[in-house]
Amino acid sequence: MAEELMLDLRNIHKSFFIGTPNEFEVLHGINFTVNKGEFVSIVGQSGSGKSTLMNIIGALDRPTEGEYTLDGVDIEKAKDHELSALRNKKIGFVFQTYNLIARTNALKNVELPMMYAGMSRGERTDRARMLLEQVGMKDRMHHNPDELSGGQKQRVAIARAMANDPAIILADEPTGALDSATGRLIMDIFHKLHEEQGKTIVLITHSPELSQETERIITLKDGTIMGETAGNWPAIKAKEGM
Amino acid sequence: MLITENILLALAGLKSNIMRSLLTMLGIIIGIASVIAIMTVGNSITVMVNTQMQEMGANNLTVGVSAKSTSEESTTSGLHFGAGNRREMDTEDYLTDEMLDSFLQEYGDNIKYTLLSSSVGSGTAMDGDLYAYVNITGYNEDYMDYTDLTLLAGRSFIEKDYENAQKVCIVSDYFVNNMFDGDTSAALGSSIEVNVSGKYYTYYIVGVYEYENDSYSSSSTEDTTTDLYIPYDTARAQLHTENDGYESITLVTTIDTDSEAFADTVENYFNVKYYSNNEDYEVTVTSMASMIESMTTMISTIELALAIIAGISLVVGGIGVMNIMLVSITERTKEIGTRKALGATNGSIRLQFITESVVICIMGGFIGIILGIVLGAVAATYMGYSASVSVVAIVVAVAFSMGIGVFFGYYPANKAAKLNPIDALRYE
């Protein structure tokens, strides 16, 4: 079966302070692809360039050199407002620090990307309720972020990431600020989205153990890809009978 | 749609930090309130002056004899002793009946009334214990028509009264109450004697008019002085001034006449024909319309100057808003980064913060308008004017506070819009 490409990165370079004596290159020609429906992890120590890579994958930043195609869209040629629309519709961000909007309840937080997408009020409220129900946050949807625990906040953030039914979910250390039990819960939600809804998920982490839970592991070191290995997820899935 | 979202968001933001929001608004509140208060007071004075002057007659022209200002006097009066010692007004300097007749022959079509009056003086009418205070003034036929008294009983003056200088009078119902216990029929035909500083004048009552208590004098008491009307010629005969000229005459022009332009024509007519050889006196004509206009202009100039000074505090208020917006944007850098990651364009971030600043300013503006109206009304009432709110000022104030919101909100909002999403997301 011909796999459909979701991400296609070719010879991506990224340099900072270009044209100054401090100029330095962080990414030295990254090549990899992610197929539709894949659960991939990018693993690397701090300083390996994984944050820079994540910014490029998330269309928050542009590569200095190279070609990046996201769900058929050439990032190179997109204008700033087109990148905004791309982030809005094709990418669902999940951050380590949750990044929920303060003084705004869970429901409104989940509605936010749909508001920027121009969806009508009634439609987006219905969808936000549905998404919060999926992550088990139905009871607390009228609570503000400061009334929620870390795990609850991250569940709201995942619901928000799913708001516009994105092409990929980009999760940056989603369990980094959580205890292991809560982290387990969050990972289970990702697996559920992957298995039941066929979501493409890119997990960025420094933890080799966590990366084992995915289908494919891309190891980053000093701005280059050291290698790609298969993850343990198929085995775990088989064992747990999912 | 995004606008309503942003307004709700801004209101929620204001609510979450009430103290800061109020302090930020305070500058706008004080600025708008002082502008509105000043405009309200100014407006009240203008309305008041206008109605009072309109009552006096917007079509009135006053033709008066006044001293000529010679170039010699105006430049060297300080050096020449006696230059200011002009001669007293003499018989030949006054306006005469002949002048008036020939003027009316030429321009009679433009003149509705020629008002002549002669004051006999204030005095007391007495009859035993009964007394009433009166002002005795003689009015000509035109003046009686112009005044248009509301007669309750009897008649007005007839031609014979003027021609023969009959000693007849029209008194107020107030006078009748005091002197005849309100019995009008007893009053009509009776003679009354009025003592004006030692001189006694006797008149027969031919009519009773309804006294209109004007709202500006104290409420009527027993001692109110009312007008006692007598024919003009009677007054002149009693004062032995039948053959004297007039120092001033009031002309009422017809409605079709442009009284301001006509004033110049009248002035020219008298000066060229009768006063060209008079070295010391000339005729000047002033129109009520031009006086109203110059008064109104003066008041609005003062009002504008005060309002501009008050407006400066609005600018200070605006800077306060800008300052708080900058602080708020710095505090919310991470939120801005998150919004951008979720797909907010630069434009929607800019709109969000401009809306916030406009909401602060408009709310401040509304509070300011209410405060200003209250202050202005209190001040106007205290100064004795009936308060009248300037609608223009309110419209301008709302538009202005909105303008301040946009103007002082734009820079911070633009700064927020241009934040790099990566830096903003990383901001702690």
Side-chain angles (χ1 to χ4, degrees):
Chain A
M1 153 177 151
E3 299 275 15
E4 202 179 325
L5 278 187
M6 200 52 113
L7 299 184
D8 185 2
L9 289 87
R10 291 185 187 190
N11 193 29
I12 297 290
H13 290 259
K14 180 69 189 177
S15 303
F16 290 101
F17 306 113
I18 294 163
T20 70
N22 292 333
E23 176 173 344
F24 69 99
E25 198 175 75
V26 177
L27 300 177
H28 318 287
I30 303 285
N31 286 289
F32 75 91
T33 58
V34 175
N35 293 323
K36 189 173 183 181
E38 244 191 315
F39 193 167
V40 177
S41 57
I42 297 171
V43 79
Q45 298 304 313
S46 59
S48 61
K50 65 182 185 328
S51 293
T52 309
L53 184 58
M54 189 209 82
N55 289 338
I56 289 171
I57 296 172
L60 289 164
D61 207 354
R62 295 166 192 268
T64 315
E65 211 189 307
E67 284 169 33
Y68 169 35
T69 314
L70 167 66
D71 197 20
V73 181
D74 190 349
I75 297 295
E76 206 82 7
K77 295 186 182 117
K79 297 190 180 74
D80 274 357
H81 71 270
E82 288 167 342
L83 286 188
S84 295
L86 204 74
R87 290 196 292 268
N88 183 231
K89 299 210 169 69
K90 296 209 184 271
I91 300 165
F93 285 95
V94 179
F95 302 97
Q96 179 175 1
T97 49
Y98 328 119
N99 289 21
L100 297 181
I101 307 291
R103 298 189 301 269
T104 307
N105 68 28
L107 192 66
K108 290 274 176 200
N109 260 289
V110 179
E111 280 185 37
L112 202 61
M114 296 185 265
M115 185 189 95
Y116 286 124
M119 199 184 279
S120 78
R121 194 187 300 257
E123 215 178 330
R124 64 182 195 238
T125 308
D126 288 346
R127 181 162 168 81
R129 280 173 198 279
M130 187 271 281
L131 290 167
L132 282 166
E133 199 172 346
Q134 274 185 12
V135 296
M137 286 296 292
K138 197 190 176 192
D139 300 338
R140 304 190 70 87
M141 63 185 177
H142 294 295
H143 288 255
N144 284 357
D146 53 8
E147 298 159 343
L148 300 175
S149 71
Q152 289 171 330
K153 280 192 248 196
Q154 199 59 300
R155 282 192 273 163
V156 174
I158 293 170
R160 185 177 68 181
M162 292 291 294
N164 287 328
D165 195 17
I168 68 162
I169 290 180
L170 194 56
D172 179 19
E173 302 277 13
T175 60
L178 303 171
D179 61 75
S180 56
T182 318
R184 182 70 261 142
L185 206 77
I186 296 300
M187 283 310 288
D188 287 345
I189 293 174
F190 283 121
H191 287 303
K192 207 171 125 192
L193 291 174
H194 173 232
E195 293 298 331
E196 291 175 11
Q197 299 188 26
K199 280 281 146 203
T200 313
I201 301 174
V202 176
L203 173 73
I204 291 152
T205 180
H206 70 281
S207 149
E209 300 96 85
L210 207 59
S211 68
Q212 288 299 326
E213 280 193 37
T214 62
E215 295 173 325
R216 186 153 59 96
I217 303 163
I218 297 167
T219 311
L220 201 64
K221 194 180 179 191
D222 297 333
T224 32
I225 291 177
M226 296 306 286
E228 289 189 19
T229 48
N232 279 339
W233 178 244
I236 298 168
K237 188 168 71 169
K239 196 173 133 197
E240 292 187 359
M242 275 178 82
Chain B
M1 178 209 69
L2 215 52
I3 289 272
T4 20
E5 290 300 329
N6 280 325
I7 290 172
L8 291 175
L9 203 70
L11 289 176
L14 290 181
K15 223 172 81 184
S16 72
N17 206 336
I18 287 176
M19 191 63 187
R20 185 205 267 186
S21 313
L22 271 179
L23 287 174
T24 310
M25 273 184 231
L26 201 59
I28 304 291
I29 294 174
I30 291 172
I32 294 279
S34 39
V35 171
I36 295 279
I38 287 165
M39 302 281 265
T40 303
V41 171
N43 205 40
S44 308
I45 295 175
T46 311
V47 168
M48 177 82 160
V49 166
N50 266 339
T51 36
Q52 269 183 343
M53 291 186 114
Q54 290 285 356
E55 268 170 26
M56 285 188 238
N59 287 325
N60 290 13
L61 294 182
T62 308
V63 182
V65 180
S66 60
K68 242 179 205 171
S69 59
T70 59
S71 56
E72 187 200 351
E73 188 199 19
S74 59
T75 55
T76 63
S77 59
L79 298 171
H80 289 261
F81 262 87
N85 248 351
R86 71 177 62 259
R87 68 182 169 79
E88 290 274 307
M89 266 182 93
D90 215 341
T91 334
E92 71 262 22
D93 297 322
Y94 287 101
L95 293 161
T96 63
D97 283 324
E98 292 81 58
M99 290 183 196
L100 197 59
D101 285 343
S102 78
F103 167 75
L104 287 175
Q105 242 164 32
E106 198 145 338
Y107 292 105
D109 289 347
N110 294 100
I111 305 298
K112 201 171 174 197
Y113 299 115
T114 307
L115 307 182
L116 296 173
S117 66
S118 178
S119 171
V120 175
S122 302
T124 322
M126 292 222 259
D127 183 13
D129 300 344
L130 302 169
Y131 66 95
Y133 297 113
V134 289
N135 264 326
I136 308 172
T137 313
Y139 296 99
N140 71 344
E141 212 173 337
D142 271 9
Y143 214 132
M144 292 307 287
D145 287 347
Y146 172 71
T147 310
D148 198 21
L149 288 177
T150 314
L151 278 180
L152 297 173
R155 60 169 177 84
S156 187
F157 302 133
I158 53 175
E159 223 169 298
K160 212 173 68 181
D161 295 331
Y162 296 105
E163 276 170 14
N164 302 336
Q166 301 275 27
K167 290 175 178 169
V168 291
C169 70
I170 302 171
V171 295
S172 64
D173 51 353
Y174 205 86
F175 181 91
V176 174
N177 282 344
N178 279 2
M179 300 293 290
F180 298 95
D181 200 22
D183 186 351
T184 315
S185 50
L188 288 175
S190 304
S191 76
I192 52 154
E193 199 175 44
V194 185
N195 176 355
V196 180
S197 20
K199 285 184 180 169
Y200 288 87
Y201 298 99
T202 309
Y203 306 102
Y204 290 92
I205 300 172
V206 295
V208 178
Y209 71 89
E210 188 179 3
Y211 175 68
E212 280 170 32
N213 188 13
D214 68 67
S215 51
Y216 307 119
S217 63
S218 54
S219 58
S220 52
T221 65
E222 296 274 298
D223 295 339
T224 300
T225 303
T226 61
D227 286 319
L228 190 139
Y229 292 79
I230 60 172
Y232 181 65
D233 306 85
T234 311
R236 301 255 281 179
Q238 288 183 327
L239 294 167
H240 308 291
T241 56
E242 298 99 315
N243 299 317
D244 287 1
Y246 313 104
E247 203 174 328
S248 87
I249 299 166
T250 303
L251 299 174
V252 181
T253 59
T254 56
I255 291 181
D256 307 329
T257 307
D258 174 0
S259 59
E260 272 178 85
F262 190 60
D264 293 336
T265 315
V266 177
E267 201 170 282
N268 258 330
Y269 179 85
F270 282 103
N271 281 334
V272 169
K273 201 165 174 187
Y274 301 105
Y275 285 83
S276 52
N277 292 325
N278 194 321
E279 283 180 6
D280 298 290
Y281 290 94
E282 64 181 350
V283 166
T284 48
V285 179
T286 44
S287 78
M288 192 58 86
S290 69
M291 277 174 73
I292 292 176
E293 205 179 291
S294 60
M295 277 295 273
T296 313
T297 315
M298 198 180 76
I299 295 169
S300 15
T301 310
I302 296 171
E303 189 184 318
L304 187 69
L306 288 172
I308 287 173
I309 294 170
I312 292 171
S313 63
L314 264 182
V315 176
V316 176
I319 293 169
V321 171
M322 182 152 137
N323 187 24
I324 285 299
M325 290 305 294
L326 285 170
V327 170
S328 155
I329 281 159
T330 310
E331 278 179 0
R332 288 154 71 183
T333 302
K334 195 157 190 160
E335 174 190 326
I336 294 163
T338 306
R339 284 176 182 274
K340 286 194 159 190
L342 296 179
T345 57
N346 290 0
S348 51
I349 298 287
R350 193 182 295 124
L351 185 66
Q352 180 191 340
F353 286 100
I354 287 182
T355 308
E356 199 168 310
S357 141
V358 169
V359 166
I360 291 176
C361 288
I362 286 189
M363 280 180 72
F366 270 110
I367 300 174
I369 286 169
I370 293 163
L371 201 67
I373 289 173
V374 172
L375 278 179
V378 168
T381 314
Y382 185 72
M383 289 193 274
Y385 303 105
S386 55
S388 97
V389 175
S390 162
V391 179
V392 178
I394 291 173
V395 174
V396 170
V398 172
F400 206 71
S401 49
M402 223 167 126
I404 287 174
V406 173
F407 184 81
F408 289 100
Y410 185 81
Y411 172 74
N414 204 40
K415 206 178 151 191
K418 285 188 173 157
L419 279 176
N420 180 339
I422 300 165
D423 296 340
L425 273 171
R426 212 181 288 149
Y427 184 88
E428 287 300 331

